[in-house]
């Protein structure tokens, strides 16, 4: 099970990397979103996928799945959502002001 | 008062000069500056009786005791000679500059820099701690940089200052490394202690590197070949600066360093040959090139280089005495060091006078070009007399002090060539020959300075102002130096017995002081040295008369192949090359930088994986896979790959949604209800956000990349994914200890909550949650700001619509 998920995250990372290396801003943002998916999957996998109870007490279980990675992921999901939102708005504004979403054309200023 | 405070006085005076300048009103600020070196000269002169009696004075102020760095002032003969030169010539130069610089100049800066330099120079010669010596050494470089570029609106001044700074600072750094090596060998920063223990460390592997690096520092500072190129360019400085820094003091710092470290490194063949060889070659090379100069200051600059080479060579020759240790035969070789010290003083006197004379000529007629000058003797008789004294002393003619030191130089050169150590039996004969030839050229340019300037036709139409004697105040300093030149010829032993002999004791600590030093006689009989001087005069005069016939020989040394050109070329090329190199990888394209980052990730992390052999697969401890999981994993796999081939952005965004919801399903399967909930909600909102943004963004186009680029990206992505998965697998299979999560299962007892995940978020690790809320808040404010606030590109403020 763990091996399968880890291989899946590897594929997600590859896809994300390829998208991040693209010219268009949209693809890059999409790449970052996929990268955070991969990270979340990895965190929960590293916590161990052994079957146990849902981490809620008084459910008739003696053992629970690891609660700590879940808390970490929850934090991470929210943060990556915030970052994605900012990136999207930034891309939008960039496109409105500069008229391009091509990263090769966004080259900054020449300071000479 | 101790010497430590004497060193600090110029710095204090420099600090108050800018404030004083406004208060003094019409009084020239130079009068205040003059008091400092004058007072210090008198103070230092009061040490002469003690020093002559063989005492040394030492006083320590603690600076950084934990690192063994103390501000230790050590007065012995050698440092006192330099100290007296610095303050004495400093006082004369201050006096001279009062008349030389017009009140319109920025005088407070001039005297501030000058006093800064004076204090730094005193610090160099009196410091016993090499780290403190280095601090003062760099301070001399910096203050001389400021002085050279005093007229900073001139391009050539700035260039000269830059060049001298680059060269002397490079040497200074080398010297610092050498000092640190010395410390590593001997465990002491004190020069006296290093000298006392160095004999146990001569086989240390750092001994030779330390010697070479310290010599590099000394050679760059003292303008030895091939680092002499900064000195002629430093002539853009005001003439008092040239007289002070570039004849009497700063260029002697390297000489001082060689003298000071002779007891450490002397007696080694490499030291002997480097110091002697470089010195001799510098002597010849600069004397030869001085003749072709047309600017009098440039001529003096080359002559300074040449004379410094001569002093350096004599210190090298003298170091041979340390090879034998003390014996009655070896004492004779110490005479070279004595001659070097004597010439050190002589050179400061006559070169200072000559610079001041040239300054007067420049000041009065407006040019220093030898081709426009001539016939000034009847207009400026006093100036001419001093120029004659200085030049004849430089040429080594009686009755001036240069004659004595030149004769002693020849004696030393003749003595050393008969030695049989250091393969001198084969090469020794070269030394007196080079010395003699160089002296012929010295004679030649000395004569040119006097006769081309003061004799020949007077060409008033080429001068900016008609010639006449300068104001009397301007003449005081050069006259006093001229008197010293003559005085030292008639009473050389006064200097020799009181200062030079104690200085010798410092350089040759193992020799009894009574046997060191030489009685100097103006007349020493008809010997080889005297005939060599006759030869110089005869051949020199012959060359002078026939100058226009053989001048063409200088065409053989075109400017294009000089070290100056090499320096400029190297500097220029370094700029161009580094610019090209930077431009080649700093493309400004984000993708390129990402490629670098991924490349290093692959190289470092992948390399570390392979190198440490951490790759480790095992599926034995895995949980079993249910059919649901197979299906969802398959869906995610297909969705992920399909995104790469999606033709429209809508497909891509929906596929991303598929990935997000599949992960939510995984969270359900992995028994994480809170995660599943959050993931579903967030994925929905994210998808909506994507769709909204995409409404305003253009349709995504096919990427038009070249095949090679695409291949590279594919390769990188595959490698990054593989390494990522490999690390995860390796880590997963190499668990080190149990999870700490069982602690959180007490959440009801500890926090009163049954939902463990929520207890962690809200209670055990609530700080994370709080800051995560802040992140969300900032993102919200950011989004709002981006959309609402639209400042136009110009001043125009565009209102939101």
């Amino acid at each position: 099970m763990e091996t399968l998920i880890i291989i899946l995250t590897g594929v997600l990372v590859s896809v994300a990397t390829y998208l991040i290396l693209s010219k268009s801003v949209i693809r890059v943002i999409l790449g970052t979103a996929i990268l955070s998916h991969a990270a979340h999957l990895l965190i929960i996998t590293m916590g161990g996928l052994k079957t146990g109870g849902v981490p809620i007490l008084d459910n008739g279980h003696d053992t629970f799945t690891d609660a700590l990675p879940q808390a970490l992921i929850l934090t991470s999901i929210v943060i990556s959502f915030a970052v994605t939102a900012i990136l999207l708005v930034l891309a939008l504004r960039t496109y409105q002001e500069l008229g391009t979403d091509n990263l090769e054309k966004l080259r900054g200023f020449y300071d000479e | 008062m101790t010497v430590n405070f004497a060193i600090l006085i110029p710095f204090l005076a420099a600090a108050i000069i800018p404030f004083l300048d406004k208060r003094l009103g019409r009084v020239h600020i130079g009068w205040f500056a003059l008091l400092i070196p004058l007072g210090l000269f008198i103070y230092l002169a009061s040490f002469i009786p003690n020093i002559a009696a063989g005492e040394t004075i030492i006083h320590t102020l603690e600076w950084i005791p934990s690192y063994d760095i103390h501000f230790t002032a050590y007065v012995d003969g050698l440092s006192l000679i330099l100290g007296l030169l610095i303050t004495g010539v400093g006082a004369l130069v201050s006096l001279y500059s009062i008349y030389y610089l017009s009140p319109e100049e920025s005088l407070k800066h001039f005297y501030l820099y000058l006093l800064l330099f004076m204090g730094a120079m005193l610090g160099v010669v009196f410091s016993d701690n090499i780290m403190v010596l280095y601090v003062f050494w760099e301070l001399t470089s910096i203050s001389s940089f400021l002085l050279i570029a005093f007229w900073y609106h001139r391009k050539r001044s700035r260039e000269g200052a830059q060049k001298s700074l680059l060269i002397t600072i490079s040497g200074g750094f080398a010297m610092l490394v050498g000092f640190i090596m010395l410390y590593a060998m001997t465990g002491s920063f004190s020069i006296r202690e290093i000298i006392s223990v160095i004999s146990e460390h001569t086989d240390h592997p750092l001994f030779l590197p330390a010697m070479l690096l310290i010599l590099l520092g000394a050679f760059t500072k003292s303008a030895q070949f091939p680092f002499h190129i900064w000195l002629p360019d430093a002539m853009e400085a005001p003439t008092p600066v040239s007289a002070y820094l570039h004849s009497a003091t700063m260029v002697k710092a390297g000489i001082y360093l060689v003298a000071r470290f002779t007891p450490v490194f002397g007696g080694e063949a490499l030291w002997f040959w480097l110091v002697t060889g470089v010195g001799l070659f510098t002597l010849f090379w600069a004397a030869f090139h001085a003749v072709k100069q047309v600017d009098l200051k440039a001529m003096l600059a080359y002559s300074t280089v040449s004379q410094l080479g001569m002093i350096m060579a004599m210190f090298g020759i003298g170091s041979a005495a340390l090879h034998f240790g003390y014996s009655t035969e070896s004492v004779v070789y110490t005479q070279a060091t004595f001659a070097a010290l004597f010439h050190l003083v002589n050179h400061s006197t006559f070169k200072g006078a000559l610079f001041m004379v040239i300054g007067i000529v420049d000041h009065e007629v407006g040019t220093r070009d030898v081709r426009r000058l001539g016939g000034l003797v009847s207009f400026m008789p006093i100036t001419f007399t001093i120029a004659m004294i200085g030049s004849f002393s430089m040429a080594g003619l009686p009755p001036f002090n240069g004659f004595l030191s030149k004769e002693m130089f020849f004696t030393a050169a003749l003595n050393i060539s008969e030695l049989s150590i250091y393969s001198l039996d084969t090469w020794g004969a070269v030394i007196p020959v080079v010395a003699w030839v160089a002296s012929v050229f010295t004679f030649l340019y000395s004569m040119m300075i006097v006769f081309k300037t003061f004799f020949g036709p007077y060409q008033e139409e080429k001068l900016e102002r008609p010639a006449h004697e300068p104001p009397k105040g301007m003449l005081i300093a050069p006259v006093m130096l001229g008197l010293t030149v003559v005085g030292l010829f008639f009473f050389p032993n006064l200097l020799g017995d009181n200062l030079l002999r104690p200085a010798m004791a410092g350089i040759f600590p193992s020799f009894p002081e009574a046997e060191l030093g030489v009685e100097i006689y103006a007349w020493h009989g008809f010997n080889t040295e005297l005939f060599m001087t006759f030869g110089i005069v005869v051949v020199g005069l012959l060359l002078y008369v026939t100058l226009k016939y053989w001048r063409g020989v200088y065409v053989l040394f075109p400017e294009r192949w000089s070290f100056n050109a090499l320096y400029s070329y190297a500097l220029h090329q370094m700029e161009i090359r580094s610019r090209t190199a930077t431009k080649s990888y700093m493309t400004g394209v984000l993708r390129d930088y990402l490629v670098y980052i991924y490349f290093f990730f692959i190289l470092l992390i992948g390399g570390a994986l392979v190198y440490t052999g951490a790759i480790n697969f095992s599926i034995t401890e895995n949980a079993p896979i249910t059919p649901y999981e197979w299906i969802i994993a398959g869906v995610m796999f297909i969705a992920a790959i399909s995104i790469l081939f999606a033709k429209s952005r809508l497909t891509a965004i929906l596929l991303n949604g598929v990935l997000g919801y599949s992960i939510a399903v995984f969270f359900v399967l992995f028994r994480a209800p809170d995660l599943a909930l959050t993931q579903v909600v967030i994925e929905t909102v994210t998808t909506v956000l994507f769709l909204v943004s995409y409404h305003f963004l253009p349709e995504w186009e096919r990427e038009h990349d070249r095949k090679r680029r695409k291949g590279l990206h594919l390769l990188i992505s595959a490698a990054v994914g593989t390494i990522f998965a490999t690390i995860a697998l390796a880590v997963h299979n190499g668990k080190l200890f149990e999870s700490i999560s069982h602690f959180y299962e007490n959440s009801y007892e500890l926090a009163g909550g049954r939902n463990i995940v929520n207890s962690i978020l809200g209670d055990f690790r609530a700080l994370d949650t709080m800051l995560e809320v802040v992140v969300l808040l900032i993102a919200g404010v950011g989004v709002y700001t981006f959309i609402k606030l639209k400042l136009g590109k110009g001043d125009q403020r565009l209102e939101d619509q």
Side-chain angles (χ1 to χ4, degrees):
Chain A
M1 184 71 214
E2 281 89 342
T3 311
L4 176 71
I5 304 287
I6 285 172
I7 290 168
L8 185 64
T9 57
V11 172
L12 287 182
V13 167
S14 286
V15 171
T17 308
Y18 191 80
L19 286 174
I20 287 173
L21 287 171
S22 327
K23 261 190 250 176
S24 111
V25 179
I26 316 169
R27 282 179 207 257
V28 174
I29 298 173
L30 204 59
T32 61
I34 294 174
L35 197 62
S36 56
H37 286 328
H40 301 156
L41 259 188
L42 184 75
I43 295 173
I44 200 158
T45 313
M46 300 308 280
L49 299 176
K50 289 266 167 51
T51 1
V54 170
I56 293 175
L57 299 172
D58 290 346
N59 239 352
H61 287 286
D62 285 339
T63 56
F64 305 99
T65 51
D66 199 337
L68 196 56
Q70 296 192 12
L72 296 180
I73 295 169
L74 208 58
T75 312
S76 164
I77 289 175
V78 176
I79 291 174
S80 66
F81 165 70
V83 173
T84 309
I86 280 280
L87 282 179
L88 277 172
V89 175
L90 194 61
L92 182 71
R93 292 289 297 128
T94 312
Y95 180 66
Q96 283 176 348
E97 289 294 324
L98 303 172
T100 179
D101 70 330
N102 188 336
L103 278 177
E104 297 226 309
K105 288 185 188 161
L106 299 171
R107 291 281 283 273
F109 301 99
Y110 285 101
D111 52 353
E112 297 153 56
Chain B
M1 193 172 91
T2 62
V3 186
N4 304 58
F5 293 110
I7 296 170
L8 296 177
I9 283 176
F11 292 107
L12 293 176
I16 57 172
I17 275 220
F19 304 104
L20 215 58
D21 190 36
K22 282 186 190 138
R23 296 281 165 84
L24 279 179
R26 295 180 58 96
V27 182
H28 199 288
I29 186 76
W31 290 110
F32 170 73
L34 170 64
L35 293 176
I36 308 296
L38 201 62
L40 287 175
F41 181 78
I42 294 165
Y43 170 67
L44 288 176
S46 72
F47 285 116
I48 294 178
N50 301 49
I51 298 297
E55 294 171 34
T56 56
I57 295 143
I58 188 153
H59 193 267
T60 302
L61 281 182
E62 292 205 333
W63 184 20
I64 316 175
S66 54
Y67 284 103
D68 208 10
I69 294 174
H70 307 290
F71 182 19
T72 306
Y74 177 62
V75 186
D76 68 346
L78 182 58
S79 50
L80 192 62
I81 293 172
L82 269 296
L84 288 171
L85 277 180
I86 292 159
T87 49
V89 182
L92 293 176
V93 161
S94 304
L95 180 66
Y96 176 77
S97 61
I98 292 171
Y99 294 94
Y100 185 84
L101 291 172
S102 93
E104 275 88 67
E105 302 277 3
S106 176
L107 289 173
K108 60 179 175 192
H109 290 123
F110 181 80
Y111 288 107
L112 197 161
Y113 302 155
L114 198 71
L115 286 172
L116 210 60
F117 174 79
M118 202 179 287
M121 204 59 215
L122 284 174
V124 166
V125 296
F126 285 119
S127 289
D128 179 58
N129 191 293
I130 43 181
M131 286 299 129
V132 178
L133 191 150
Y134 173 74
V135 169
F136 284 118
W137 183 277
E138 293 299 17
L139 259 176
T140 64
S141 293
I142 292 165
S143 49
S144 86
F145 167 76
L146 292 169
L147 281 168
I148 295 170
F150 179 65
W151 288 315
Y152 53 83
H153 49 273
R154 296 186 191 162
K155 187 164 176 278
R156 287 171 57 91
S157 291
R158 297 196 303 271
E159 284 174 353
Q162 185 205 35
K163 191 182 212 174
S164 74
L165 189 75
L166 280 176
I167 292 178
T168 53
I169 291 275
S170 317
F173 275 137
M175 193 183 83
L176 177 64
V177 178
F179 282 171
I180 293 169
M181 287 177 171
L182 266 186
Y183 179 71
M185 278 189 283
T186 61
S188 170
F189 281 130
S190 159
I191 298 176
R192 288 169 306 123
E193 285 174 28
I194 290 173
I195 289 170
S196 62
V197 297
I198 193 67
S199 53
E200 302 159 23
H201 301 283
T202 45
D203 295 330
H204 197 283
L206 287 178
F207 185 76
L208 276 187
M211 180 204 285
L212 293 176
L213 288 168
I214 291 175
L215 268 186
L216 194 63
F219 285 170
T220 48
K221 197 78 162 185
S222 281
Q224 298 296 298
F225 184 89
F227 310 110
H228 63 282
I229 50 173
W230 66 266
L231 199 107
D233 284 16
M235 289 302 129
E236 293 301 321
T239 302
V241 173
S242 309
Y244 189 39
L245 272 67
H246 307 126
S247 67
T249 53
M250 187 172 98
V251 286
K252 301 269 162 64
I255 302 271
Y256 166 78
L257 199 73
V258 167
R260 188 48 98 200
F261 280 88
T262 296
V264 178
F265 298 114
E268 300 288 318
L270 188 64
W271 175 270
F272 173 86
W273 274 114
L274 268 177
V275 178
T276 313
V278 170
L280 273 178
F281 191 74
T282 311
L283 164 64
F284 165 74
W285 184 258
F288 180 64
H289 279 273
V291 176
K292 81 167 175 186
Q293 306 300 324
V294 287
D295 179 352
L296 282 173
K297 262 179 108 176
M299 201 181 269
L300 282 185
Y302 275 100
S303 94
T304 302
V305 174
S306 162
Q307 301 281 309
L308 291 171
M310 175 171 155
I311 299 171
M312 198 66 99
M314 286 194 277
F315 273 119
I317 293 171
S319 75
L322 285 165
H323 177 82
F324 301 103
Y326 170 68
S327 66
T328 35
E329 290 86 46
S330 62
V331 167
V332 71
Y333 304 111
T334 66
Q335 289 174 2
T337 308
F338 188 83
L341 290 167
F342 189 46
H343 195 66
L344 182 90
V345 178
N346 293 346
H347 175 247
S348 295
T349 55
F350 67 68
K351 193 52 67 71
L354 279 174
F355 266 112
M356 289 179 184
V357 165
I358 303 297
I360 289 171
V361 170
D362 189 14
H363 198 263
E364 297 310 317
V365 304
T367 183
R368 307 191 299 251
D369 194 325
V370 118
R371 291 165 300 193
R372 291 161 68 184
L373 293 167
L376 296 180
V377 63
S378 49
F379 300 95
M380 311 168 110
I382 304 174
T383 316
F384 160 71
T385 314
I386 304 163
M388 194 194 69
I389 292 173
S391 298
F392 282 20
S393 176
M394 182 157 70
L397 299 177
F400 307 108
N401 58 8
F403 172 72
L404 302 175
S405 39
K406 181 147 292 184
E407 296 296 287
M408 288 160 79
F409 174 46
F410 286 152
T411 314
L414 289 170
N415 277 339
I416 201 76
S417 58
E418 287 159 14
L419 260 184
S420 54
I421 52 164
Y422 305 154
S423 52
L424 273 168
D425 34 3
T426 41
W427 294 101
V430 178
I431 295 175
V433 172
V434 175
W436 187 81
V437 174
S439 297
V440 171
F441 281 104
T442 308
F443 179 85
L444 186 57
Y445 68 69
S446 301
M447 293 308 111
M448 284 168 72
I449 290 172
V450 181
F451 290 103
K452 296 244 174 186
T453 314
F454 293 97
F455 291 92
Y458 176 61
Q459 315 167 66
E460 185 158 9
E461 70 285 355
K462 289 190 181 172
L463 303 177
E464 285 174 20
R465 290 180 285 276
H468 57 80
E469 271 302 355
K472 286 197 179 62
M474 218 166 167
L475 281 169
I476 298 172
V479 164
M480 286 177 79
L481 284 172
L483 287 177
T484 319
V485 168
V486 183
L488 280 175
F489 175 78
F490 289 108
F491 309 103
N493 292 320
L494 218 57
L495 176 71
D497 291 339
N498 287 316
L499 283 175
L500 302 189
R501 201 189 293 272
M504 293 285 285
I507 297 175
F508 299 102
S510 55
F511 288 56
E513 195 182 333
E515 304 221 9
L516 292 169
V518 196
E519 283 297 309
I520 311 167
Y521 299 107
W523 174 251
H524 41 72
F526 286 102
N527 51 14
T528 327
E529 294 89 316
L530 195 65
F531 289 115
M532 280 168 87
T533 306
F534 281 138
I536 288 169
V537 175
V538 172
V539 178
L541 282 177
L542 211 65
L543 282 176
Y544 182 77
V545 173
T546 57
L547 187 61
K548 59 173 180 258
Y549 300 107
W550 60 271
R551 239 202 138 91
V553 82
Y554 285 108
V555 183
L556 293 175
F557 301 91
E559 193 57 32
R560 213 148 52 86
W561 298 107
S562 65
F563 280 95
N564 249 328
L566 182 72
Y567 165 87
S568 316
Y569 178 77
L571 206 62
H572 187 59
Q573 283 298 309
M574 277 199 291
E575 272 173 29
I576 291 180
R577 292 289 155 84
S578 56
R579 192 187 170 81
T580 323
T582 311
K583 275 203 161 180
S584 69
Y585 71 91
M586 296 298 282
T587 54
V589 180
L590 188 63
R591 300 204 293 169
D592 292 337
Y593 303 145
L594 285 168
V595 167
Y596 305 150
I597 292 170
Y598 284 126
F599 184 70
F600 278 97
F601 172 80
I602 294 165
L603 214 68
L604 286 178
I605 311 290
L609 269 182
V610 174
Y611 183 72
T612 57
I615 304 166
N616 172 16
F617 296 104
S618 139
I619 51 168
T620 48
E621 299 217 353
N622 278 359
I625 310 172
T626 61
Y628 292 120
E629 288 155 1
W630 273 120
I631 292 167
I632 295 167
V635 166
M636 282 186 76
F637 184 77
I638 293 165
I641 300 294
S642 315
I643 288 180
L644 294 179
F645 300 97
K647 288 245 162 42
S648 90
R649 57 186 183 180
L650 195 63
T651 324
I653 178 83
L654 289 179
L655 284 169
N656 181 44
V658 168
L659 284 178
Y661 289 118
S662 310
I663 287 173
V665 176
F666 265 131
F667 288 154
V668 171
L669 291 172
F670 298 155
R671 290 167 177 63
D674 308 277
L675 286 187
L677 268 175
T678 318
Q679 178 70 22
V680 168
V681 174
I682 294 279
E683 195 54 42
T684 313
V685 180
T686 309
T687 310
V688 170
L689 257 182
F690 267 108
L691 289 173
V692 171
S693 318
Y694 283 18
H695 176 69
F696 296 102
L697 286 170
E699 177 59 67
W700 97 5
E701 292 164 22
R702 270 186 70 87
E703 299 262 310
H704 295 290
D705 269 327
R706 268 176 289 168
K707 275 234 171 77
R708 257 182 71 185
R709 177 113 202 172
K710 230 174 196 168
L712 176 74
H713 287 181
L714 263 179
L715 205 69
I716 286 175
S717 337
V720 169
T722 313
I723 288 173
F724 184 85
T726 315
I727 294 172
L729 284 170
V731 170
H732 191 259
N733 291 320
K735 276 211 175 129
L736 298 174
F737 46 82
E738 270 302 299
S739 160
I740 59 164
S741 295
H742 294 299
F743 171 75
Y744 297 114
E745 286 165 14
N746 299 326
S747 73
Y748 186 71
E749 290 82 49
L750 293 174
R754 295 185 196 285
N755 184 331
I756 302 177
V757 176
N758 286 0
S759 295
I760 294 176
L761 286 173
D763 210 307
F764 294 113
R765 299 178 53 91
L767 198 66
D768 293 0
T769 315
M770 185 183 83
L771 293 177
E772 160 201 341
V773 171
V774 175
V775 168
L776 210 56
L777 176 80
I778 293 172
V781 173
V783 168
Y784 180 82
T785 324
F786 277 139
I787 292 181
K788 280 287 177 186
L789 294 181
K790 294 177 183 172
L791 277 174
K793 279 171 194 155
D795 294 325
Q796 191 184 12
R797 189 191 163 110
L798 298 172
E799 279 302 318
D800 182 33
Q801 283 150 37

